[in-house]
Amino acid sequence: MLAETGLELLDKLINYWSVWETNADYYLTILAPAIVRGDSSHCLSEREKMIVAKLRDSLSPEEWSRLPELIAQRRAGTLKLLASDGQRKSESITAGQKRVRKLLAEANQRDEVEQVRRQQQHEASVRKEAARRKLLPILQSDFLGADDTFARDPDARFMGKAEYDLVKADFVREWSKNNTEKPLDQDQAAAVAATTGDIQVVARAGSGKTRTLVTRTIFLQHHCDVSPDKILLLAFNRSAAEHMMAELKSELNDHLPHVMTFHALAYALVHPEESLIYDDIPNEHLALRREVQEIVDEYVRSSEYSYRIRDLMLAHFRDDWEQIVDGKFQLPRDEFLAYRRSLPRESLGGDFIKSYGEKVIANALFEHDIEYTYEANYRWDGTNYRPDFMIRTGRYGGVIIEYFGLKGDPDYDTMSEEKREFWASQKGWKFLEFTPDDLLTYGAEGFTKLLIQELKAENIPCRRLSEDAIWEKVRARDPDCFSAAMTIFIQRCRKLNWSPEKLQRQAATHLALSWSEGEFIDIGSIIYRDYLDRLTSRGLEDFDGLMWEAIARIRAGKTRFIRRRGEEQGELSKLDFVMIDEFQDFTPAFAAMIDAIRSINPKVRFFGVGDDWQAINGFAGSDLKFFTDFHHYFQDASRLYIRTNYRSGKSIVSASNALMHGKGPGAKAHTQAYGRIEVYNLDEIQLSLREIETHHRDEITPAVLRLVRYFLDQGHDVVLLCRRNALPWYVDYKDNHSRRTRTLDCFLHHIRLYMPEKDRKRVTASTVHSYKGKESSAVILLDAVERSYPLIHPNWIFYRVFGDKISSIEEEERRLFY
């Protein structure tokens, strides 16, 4: 804003002194002269003071001394210009010109700066394009060396790392489109392109982590000329390893890298003389748990510990103690064996057989210490055929025993004849058959002698066991919850490589929250020591012990591994790349093995793919810290994300992201299909009269049948998922299933009974844990209730000594639900 002129200020003062008709003499002869003199005896208003102050600054000294005169002339209209105003105007014009010149100079300077900036941009663009042109041949001829080569290029700084990585990813993406059956998306291509340092890839559910691993392997071999024997892919279970191997075979034919589980690598390094014991729960192989239970049973029968174990079971495992009592496992030998032989449908070996004749055969084999399998699977024209009894004498041969109980029925006789012809054509197998007539003719004792005689003729060793030996075999129980909890306790110790002394030191400093916890740890410490002694004395080993032995061998420089009787051989010290699937499930032993490999092979590069949102195996000893703190355990580490979900609809991806909000970048849905998530409240379902009559008080069965029927009619296969291996609802099974046999498989069988034969195989069932990584177009979560998610198992308290706590369990339950 321009300053007011002297004339403008005179006008303001004249206007403010508004009573000129009566006060003109006062204004001109008294007040104005007093103002000039600086006489403050006259009280001026704040407004007057402000005008006077500005006026004094505006007028020259000579003009200021003539203030009364100037006021009078201005009122009379004779004062048109003040000399001071003219001077300021001239000065103002000069200042304005200076400002204009300054503005013009600044504008010119800005133009020059803009020109320089544009020139620099142009030069940078030219240099960047030059860098890109130089980069593409490098990526084509020496992809693995591109990072080092490009870093030395003076034009590299014009591209920047982000754009450089983008160019590499675009190159890989184009390569995969032209050279593989399954092209990559941008995130997957960036992961494949990352070859410097150790790489962590966070792959959200359904984002194609296996495709990324497989394509990276193919790219390394085909484009980067990496020899397959310098690449090792490690998986956490056999099915994952087999899946990767199958994918690689379709692209690489016989030029395959090493693909195996961590435990398979350990075995290939150690080749243990001991027999390995392990649990494979989905396939009902529970050798490890049975070994632990045998130790538990010895203590149950001991005078020193029986009462302690009884009290602990009654406090925390009451059902297990009732099983011991119900099964007569504490009876004297003869009473116990008489009881077991009297069971109508169960053999001495624990098989649930279909007829009395089969029971006689099963007991005869058991009592003569003959290893057999009841109703073993055997492929026949593409279907599973289950012969009554199979006794193997080698890998591809043995004796088959069939008990034809329905002789005389035309269809049954035809099938029996087909079985005779089938086994006659199977090289190495001998077929024995018996009928109820044999039992009638010889009686049970004579029939047994006949059976043993025929087996001896086939060179089957037959040795009648003593009653004591039979008792030792029969009184072995099916693994119970107590033994399962103790097995987990032992496995956790093994995964940490704790000695009994280390466990005792930990227990001594651990503050138990209850009597049960302290007693379990105390008894567990004793059983753990016996377990280790048992492994040594019986020539046994478990997978955790095998892992730590392999780690010790690697650190000692014994790095050659051999598999499949020498068909596959490898050398850890010569590996260039190790790629790890499901990295979020790392255990201390796996981390130690990786560290051991690096100790003897510092140049090896690691590539771990996993998802911290899918870490659900903490109960088995995995530790998420190896994933979240990747940079602490690996060298020159970088993290990439694969986020596009190719499996699920938008609503499902959105819901899962909401569940994991605040815990890292979420997934993105690939499909535009919205998907469906529906919640059915069992309390709101109105059953029909027919459903009530059919299922009585059972509400879950008709509800599931309705949903299954709806989805099947829509063309979807259905999977029934449950948090535990049993439903938290009442089910009317309409038979004599005991509470302990009401598993998920039992419920599936129950549901299928109400369905047409053609639809039954379209419905399957699984626990949530076991179904990880699988998919179905229709999923029914049978137990979406608070008591199942989160499920805080009461046994968790026994693992506090390993650092378990409620908060970490709840987070794992969240991930499981995700």
Side-chain angles (χ1 to χ4, degrees), residues 385-561:
Y385 156 48
R386 296 174 178 269
D388 291 337
F389 299 91
M390 176 183 290
I391 303 170
R392 287 190 176 273
T393 57
R395 189 173 180 183
Y396 301 108
V399 175
I400 297 297
I401 303 174
E402 285 280 14
Y403 182 77
F404 293 135
L406 296 179
K407 185 179 179 182
D409 180 275
D411 292 336
Y412 189 85
D413 289 345
T414 299
M415 183 180 65
S416 300
E417 183 58 34
E418 290 174 352
K419 289 179 180 179
R420 295 184 188 99
E421 294 174 357
F422 172 75
W423 287 110
S425 67
Q426 299 300 301
K427 185 178 179 180
W429 289 97
K430 177 67 176 180
F431 184 72
L432 301 180
E433 62 175 278
F434 300 94
T435 69
D437 290 342
D438 297 317
L439 267 176
L440 288 173
T441 302
Y442 300 103
E445 187 175 343
F447 179 80
T448 297
K449 290 181 180 179
L450 175 64
L451 170 65
I452 297 304
Q453 182 179 338
E454 296 220 18
L455 290 174
K456 286 181 177 179
E458 299 301 328
N459 296 317
I460 301 296
C462 302
R463 179 179 62 88
R464 180 63 164 82
L465 297 174
S466 67
E467 289 295 278
D468 282 339
I470 294 173
W471 182 42
E472 287 296 329
K473 291 183 66 175
V474 172
R475 67 180 179 178
R477 302 179 291 118
D478 286 336
D480 56 27
C481 294
F482 178 78
S483 296
M486 192 60 68
T487 302
I488 292 174
F489 182 85
I490 288 172
Q491 287 179 305
R492 295 289 293 273
C493 292
R494 295 289 274 164
K495 281 179 168 55
L496 293 168
N497 203 24
W498 283 3
S499 65
E501 292 74 24
K502 169 69 172 176
L503 173 57
Q504 286 183 335
R505 288 195 298 270
Q506 289 293 122
T509 59
H510 176 71
L511 181 61
L513 297 181
S514 66
W515 172 86
S516 296
E517 181 189 358
E519 191 72 349
F520 185 93
I521 294 173
D522 192 23
I523 293 173
S525 300
I526 297 166
I527 291 176
Y528 182 49
R529 184 182 294 275
D530 270 17
Y531 171 79
L532 296 179
D533 291 343
R534 191 183 186 94
L535 293 184
T536 302
S537 63
R538 295 197 175 191
L540 303 174
E541 183 60 284
D542 57 28
F543 275 126
D544 294 309
L546 179 65
M547 281 292 297
W548 290 109
E549 173 63 21
I551 292 164
R553 283 178 173 251
I554 296 171
R555 293 194 181 280
K558 299 175 181 178
T559 55
R560 186 165 188 78
F561 58 91

Side-chain angles (χ1 to χ4, degrees), residues 135-189:
L135 174 59
L136 292 177
I138 296 171
L139 296 179
Q140 186 66 44
S141 61
D142 184 22
F143 193 94
L144 296 181
D147 289 3
D148 290 337
T149 302
F150 195 68
R152 296 192 298 269
D153 192 314
D155 291 335
R157 63 188 179 89
F158 293 97
M159 178 173 286
K161 187 175 186 310
E163 190 164 356
Y164 169 69
D165 289 341
L166 184 62
V167 172
K168 286 180 68 180
D170 287 342
F171 180 90
V172 169
R173 193 175 187 188
E174 185 67 21
W175 186 93
S176 71
K177 185 171 68 175
N178 296 329
N179 293 276
T180 69
E181 296 179 0
K182 298 177 180 179
L184 304 173
D185 66 25
Q186 192 67 27
D187 289 346
Q188 294 166 344

Side-chain angles (χ1 to χ4, degrees), residues 265-283:
L265 175 59
Y267 192 94
L269 286 161
V270 177
H271 292 283
E273 297 179 1
E274 302 91 346
S275 298
L276 281 173
I277 56 171
Y278 60 93
D279 285 347
D280 182 2
I281 294 176
N283 294 315

Side-chain angles (χ1 to χ4, degrees), residues 262-446:
F262 276 91
H263 290 124
L265 175 59
Y267 192 94
L269 286 161
V270 177
H271 292 283
E273 297 179 1
E274 302 91 346
S275 298
L276 281 173
I277 56 171
Y278 60 93
D279 285 347
D280 182 2
I281 294 176
N283 294 315
E284 298 182 353
H285 179 87
L286 302 175
L288 177 59
R289 192 174 299 181
R290 291 183 185 279
E291 204 70 36
V292 173
Q293 180 145 311
E294 282 190 24
I295 302 173
V296 170
D297 284 347
E298 289 176 3
Y299 280 96
V300 167
R301 294 188 290 266
S302 74
S303 59
E304 184 178 357
Y305 289 97
S306 61
Y307 292 108
R308 290 181 65 183
I309 293 179
R310 181 200 66 185
D311 291 345
L312 179 57
M313 283 190 175
L314 288 175
H316 206 87
F317 302 91
R318 179 174 290 273
D319 287 351
D320 293 348
W321 186 254
E322 290 176 356
Q323 180 191 9
I324 291 173
V325 174
D326 292 345
K328 316 296 184 185
F329 290 103
Q330 292 179 311
L331 289 176
R333 186 200 72 181
D334 292 344
E335 291 181 35
F336 178 72
L337 290 179
Y339 164 75
R340 288 300 299 269
R341 286 178 171 129
S342 69
L343 295 175
R345 290 292 182 182
E346 184 176 351
S347 71
L348 285 172
D351 298 309
F352 288 91
I353 38 72
K354 298 191 295 289
S355 67
Y356 176 68
E358 288 185 358
K359 177 186 172 182
V360 173
I361 295 172
N363 284 353
L365 297 176
F366 185 88
E367 291 172 340
H368 286 79
D369 201 25
I370 300 171
E371 292 290 335
Y372 70 91
T373 305
Y374 179 66
E375 293 193 333
N377 282 327
Y378 198 92
R379 301 298 291 178
W380 182 4
D381 291 339
T383 62
N384 273 334
Y385 156 48
R386 296 174 178 269
D388 291 337
F389 299 91
M390 176 183 290
I391 303 170
R392 287 190 176 273
T393 57
R395 189 173 180 183
Y396 301 108
V399 175
I400 297 297
I401 303 174
E402 285 280 14
Y403 182 77
F404 293 135
L406 296 179
K407 185 179 179 182
D409 180 275
D411 292 336
Y412 189 85
D413 289 345
T414 299
M415 183 180 65
S416 300
E417 183 58 34
E418 290 174 352
K419 289 179 180 179
R420 295 184 188 99
E421 294 174 357
F422 172 75
W423 287 110
S425 67
Q426 299 300 301
K427 185 178 179 180
W429 289 97
K430 177 67 176 180
F431 184 72
L432 301 180
E433 62 175 278
F434 300 94
T435 69
D437 290 342
D438 297 317
L439 267 176
L440 288 173
T441 302
Y442 300 103
E445 187 175 343

Side-chain angles (χ1 to χ4, degrees), residues 10 35 60 74 144 156 220 240 247 287 295 310 315 347 362 366 432 434 436 465 564 595 660 709 716 753 767 780 790:
L10 283 174
I35 291 173
S60 68
R74 187 63 177 168
L144 296 181
L220 288 173
E247 292 281 312
I295 302 173
R310 181 200 66 185
S347 71
F366 185 88
L432 301 180
F434 300 94
L465 297 174
R564 302 189 185 94
D595 186 62
M660 303 302 289
R709 185 72 269 155
H716 301 290
L753 290 177
T767 62
I780 300 176

Side-chain angles (χ1 to χ4, degrees), residues 3-15 17 31-32 35-36 44 47-72 74 79 82 84-85 88:
E4 294 172 298
T5 66
L7 288 177
E8 289 171 340
L9 291 168
L10 283 174
D11 289 339
K12 274 190 174 184
L13 188 60
I14 290 168
N15 290 333
W17 293 345
L31 184 57
I35 291 173
V36 173
L44 298 178
R47 178 68 172 164
E48 287 174 297
K49 291 179 182 178
M50 183 179 68
I51 296 172
V52 167
K54 289 183 177 181
L55 189 57
R56 183 166 186 171
D57 291 338
S58 179
L59 299 177
S60 68
E62 189 273 333
E63 289 171 333
W64 178 250
S65 68
R66 295 171 48 228
L67 180 61
E69 179 186 348
L70 296 178
I71 292 174
R74 187 63 177 168
L79 182 61
L82 288 170
S84 58
D85 284 349
R88 280 196 303 275

